[in-house]
Amino acid sequence: MRVREFAKTIDHTLLRPDATEQDIVRLCEEAAHYHFAAVCVPPCHVRRAARELRGVDVKVATVISFPFGADVTAVKATAAREAISSGASELDVVMNISRFLSGDFNYVADELLAIMQEVGVAAINNGLTDVVVKVIIETAYLSDKMKRLAAQIVAASGADFIKTSTGFAPAGATPEDVALLRQEAPDALAVKASGGIRTLQDALDMLNAGASRLGMSSSVAVMKEAESGALQE
């Protein structure tokens, strides 16, 4: 894999509660320099990120109901609509983990369908041809059986990605979980790995397991490692 190709697998992420607006500006500058796939920022910073990245080949992503997914459906739908109108073209939506663990699978499925419908309308209203939706299932809390069920529900919703983790749970992505999700998910549903990816080898392990997008806060350090000769120019 070449360095530029590798860079386009990365969502350069800053979701710390103490992140300032200047931190977001710096994140966007780094993303533009390396031509990452996207920046992933808190909803309150979407407008600033969109201004910073206007005309740049880096998308603006944000999170919905982060990090627990416990907001009611109407709140999640409103947050998705607001994020799109503010300039986001990718949304990382946290599944309702509590409802899922309670066995209320119909609630989770209906909620994701409602959010996808809202995203479709908001995309049209804002002149966008496509808004990418990634659903975070928080694998650290799920058995393998429940990970497979979550993949089926996410696939049925029409989302674009199933994502392993928020980075706020006891554990993040593992190659084993990525491989399981890639095996269960249909071809149209991509896999995003996030949480605990701190080195180039971590990143390559996730890609080799079947991920096609990586959420990282250590993106710059990993890119410097890649440019040092570990990957082709």
Side-chain angles (χ1 to χ4, degrees):
M1 179 177 286
R2 296 183 181 277
V3 172
R4 192 68 175 261
E5 181 186 3
F6 174 68
K8 281 301 181 189
T9 69
I10 296 172
D11 287 355
H12 191 30
T13 302
L14 180 56
L15 297 170
R16 296 194 323 268
D18 62 342
T20 66
E21 189 170 18
Q22 281 308 112
D23 293 328
I24 298 299
V25 170
R26 183 164 53 252
L27 186 88
C28 292
E29 291 171 349
E30 292 167 348
H33 174 76
Y34 287 107
H35 301 279
F36 291 134
V39 294
C40 190
V41 300
C44 63
H45 292 299
V46 167
R47 289 188 186 276
R48 182 59 189 265
R51 289 200 304 271
E52 293 295 322
L53 292 170
R54 187 175 292 119
V56 179
D57 64 336
V58 177
K59 294 183 178 181
V60 176
T62 193
V63 287
I64 305 296
S65 196
F66 189 88
F68 304 123
D71 292 303
V72 298
T73 302
V75 171
K76 287 183 172 180
T78 299
R81 182 171 65 248
E82 175 64 23
I84 293 167
S85 67
S86 297
S89 58
E90 299 199 356
L91 306 178
D92 290 34
V93 179
V94 186
M95 176 184 76
N96 193 310
I97 301 160
S98 177
R99 287 280 198 167
F100 189 77
L101 290 173
S102 299
D104 200 349
F105 307 126
N106 287 336
Y107 179 98
V108 174
D110 290 345
E111 177 173 271
L112 291 179
L113 286 170
I115 293 169
M116 291 301 298
Q117 184 176 22
E118 188 68 38
V119 167
V121 172
I124 292 170
N125 290 343
N126 287 276
L128 300 176
T129 57
D130 184 42
V131 173
V132 172
V133 176
K134 310 164 200 153
V135 178
I136 307 171
I137 65 169
E138 202 68 283
T139 50
Y141 297 127
L142 307 181
S143 66
D144 285 356
K145 181 178 180 180
M146 294 192 84
K147 291 166 195 170
R148 292 184 183 279
L149 177 57
Q152 295 167 15
I153 292 173
V154 173
S157 75
D160 302 282
F161 282 82
I162 184 167
K163 178 178 171 181
T164 61
S165 321
T166 62
F168 285 75
T174 67
E176 293 77 16
D177 281 344
V178 169
L180 183 152
L181 295 176
R182 182 62 278 157
Q183 180 186 53
E184 187 66 32
D187 291 343
L189 181 63
V191 178
K192 176 178 173 180
S194 64
I197 306 172
R198 298 186 178 90
T199 68
L200 178 61
Q201 190 59 56
D202 290 340
L204 294 177
D205 287 345
M206 299 301 173
L207 294 173
N208 289 334
S212 53
R213 193 77 72 88
L214 307 171
M216 290 194 284
S217 57
S218 302
S219 318
V220 171
V222 171
M223 284 302 298
K224 288 179 179 178
E225 191 179 353
E227 291 175 335
S228 70
L231 293 179
Q232 295 177 319
E233 289 297 333

